[in-house]
Amino acid sequence: MTTAPDLTAAAIKMIMALGVVLLLVWGIYRLAKGRLAATPGGRHRKMMHLIESQYVGVKKLQRLTTPGQRKITKTEEDGSVTAP
């Protein structure tokens, strides 16, 4: 005749296994985050930042700034971009 499994031991094993898996996922996340920060421009690199947006007639004008703080104007209708 077999005996019933020890539920306490099984629960401890499952919790330990879950801890190992979570630690592994966290470690992979930290490594990936470090590699992204090491790329040119870093993690917080933004291509453009919207300063303002307004409608003029049927066109939508948007003022943007680039990483070098250069300001540009973009029209929504035809997608053209001009730099002052």
Side-chain angles (χ1 to χ4, degrees), residues 52-64:
E52 68 176 326
S53 176
Q54 69 182 34
Y55 285 95
V56 178
V58 295
K59 292 185 179 182
K60 183 178 182 182
L61 296 176
Q62 296 177 330
R63 301 237 336 133
L64 307 165

Side-chain angles (χ1 to χ4, degrees), residues 7-60:
L7 293 178
T8 305
I12 290 173
K13 286 181 184 178
M14 285 193 301
I15 290 171
M16 294 282 286
L18 179 62
V20 168
V21 169
L22 289 176
L23 187 62
L24 183 64
V25 169
W26 178 77
I28 291 171
Y29 168 74
R30 294 286 292 185
L31 284 174
K33 185 177 172 182
R35 296 216 185 251
L36 286 176
T39 59
R43 286 185 332 191
H44 303 290
R45 179 180 171 194
K46 290 185 179 180
M47 296 303 286
M48 291 187 198
H49 179 72
L50 180 65
I51 298 172
E52 68 176 326
S53 176
Q54 69 182 34
Y55 285 95
V56 178
V58 295
K59 292 185 179 182
K60 183 178 182 182

Side-chain angles (χ1 to χ4, degrees), residues 58-62 73-82:
V58 295
K59 292 185 179 182
K60 183 178 182 182
L61 296 176
Q62 296 177 330
T73 304
K74 174 184 174 280
T75 61
E76 182 89 6
E77 186 176 307
D78 57 1
S80 64
V81 175
T82 59

